[in-house]
Amino acid sequence: MNSSVAQKTEKKTFIQKFLDFVEIGGNKLPHPVTLFAMLCVAIAIISAIAASMGLSVEADILNRTTNEIETTVVSAVSLLNGEGFSYMLENAVSNFTSFAPLGVVLVGMLGIGIAESSGYIGTLLKKVVSITPSKLIVPMVVFLGIMSNVASDAGYVILIPLGALVFMAYGRHPLAGIAAAFAGVSGGFSANLLIGTIDPMLAGITNEAAHILDPTVNITPTANYLFMVVSTFLITILGTILTTKVIEPRLGKYEGSVDKGSDLQNISDKEKKAMTAANITLIAMVVGLIVLIVMPNSFLRNLEADGFLNSIIDHSTFMNGLIPIVALLFFVPSVVYGKIAGTVKNEKEVAAHMSKAMSSMGGYLCLAFVASQFISYFNYTNLGTIIAIIGAELLQSANIGAIPLLVGFIIITAFINLFMGSASAKWAIMAPVFIPMFIKLNIDPAAVQTAYRIADSSTNIISPLMSYFAMVIVFTQVYDKKSGIGTITSMMLPYSMTFLVAWTVMFIIWMVAGIPFGF
């Protein structure tokens, strides 16, 4: 990318030189579509070699369908035989259509696209710029990224592209905005001030694993809450420092078009009137949504869940339908704005705005197709599961103290996370191994689950196997056509390593001080 590797008069630090090396080397790789296709071929070859060698491992794994621990032999499966070829041909379409981020991104863009093209987002950004001090914009973006995790994957679709627009509105580099938002949304995935969808999911797996040794263990969704609240401020502070002191100086001045962020000081009377009407509409919709949620026997809650909070976040209609709900919360106020501002005159223009938003996703669709095949092949061949189990067995055999063992657990998990993106699937493999092992060492399962969450979050942002990694590449290419995997990796590596080290240090202090991790 031109701006990040431009010659500067000041002497570069070792870290800047290293990140430039990572970026230049990464971007010299083929186009991301080609690269993922090559990785598919590599996985096929490796799987054939591993299967011919009879590579297999045995482990106790939680069956998330039956919630029972099962002793399972996991063997490498070849893609280069009759069954493998059949799998690749028969599942090519379903691998693509079932790719988790695909529907989320496209449905979300229906609402966000019209919000941007109608001018609603642009006017809101002008208002934000007029009332928010420049010094607060970076921590605000990182913090909102962290908090968006309560809405599951919505932050990836909404906040990361908005981060670029917000930074441009302040005359800052849009890629720095993407980096700050991505760091909060994905790097800070386990930190939050609220209980999110991941909390009950992990707690359920932890309980089943703990019951192997102790049927009385009962980890609640709030088992990590205190630690995660403090982590929210830690990640916000670190994300702010890294963005302003490392990422922005390295990116330099943005040389592309700044049309999206221009004319920030002037909001016309028509824009003010339209924004007021749209904001009132948005507030009315949010209030109506809250009323629907709290109503007795609300269809939006899971009425079989234990407790009011769990009924909202645990497999409820509200959480399962959150993306279309968010899309509507963008769509309706944006149409109201466009009608009053004159940017949307009739339903034909509404459809045209939506079509325009979808037309911009062509590159993402191509990349999502090959990325979905790669991730599916990795799962089908069992290579990710085998790596996870071998890593767990190596750490289990280490004869060291409890805290060093937990630190080793964090490091191993962070490494495994590069190859196995799903937090719940990974924990279903690792929890039956480590939870009983640490219970024998008199270590609270809540502490082990906390250590897992630290590792799982920290390396999300540098793993190509993370489902939304391909989408972030597409977002960066809006502002820099030459950006690729090297661009993302070099931007996010400082966040990843800093989060991992600082979070681990905080975890050690927490353990030594004997502070409860949650409730």
Side-chain angles (χ1 to χ4, degrees), residues 26 65 94 119-120 129 156 221 227 230 257 301 313 350 421 430 446 468 513:
T65 302
S94 60
Y120 182 38
V129 170
Y156 287 99
F227 187 86
V230 177
S257 171
R301 300 204 314 269
I313 64 175
V350 171
M430 302 183 73
Y468 289 93

Side-chain angles (χ1 to χ4, degrees), residues 361-429:
M361 299 306 294
Y364 173 70
L365 292 176
C366 294
L367 187 53
F369 177 78
V370 289
S372 65
Q373 307 306 320
F374 170 60
I375 293 173
S376 297
Y377 294 173
F378 211 82
N379 292 334
Y380 174 81
T381 59
N382 288 331
L383 293 178
T385 304
I386 290 171
I387 291 172
I389 293 172
I390 291 175
E393 290 176 348
L394 287 173
L395 188 58
Q396 188 179 22
S397 63
N399 186 22
I400 53 179
I403 290 181
L405 194 60
L406 281 167
V407 173
F409 171 63
I410 291 173
I411 295 171
I412 289 289
T413 305
F415 175 74
I416 291 172
N417 192 46
L418 297 174
F419 303 94
M420 196 172 187
S422 171
S424 56
K426 202 162 51 261
W427 192 224
I429 294 170

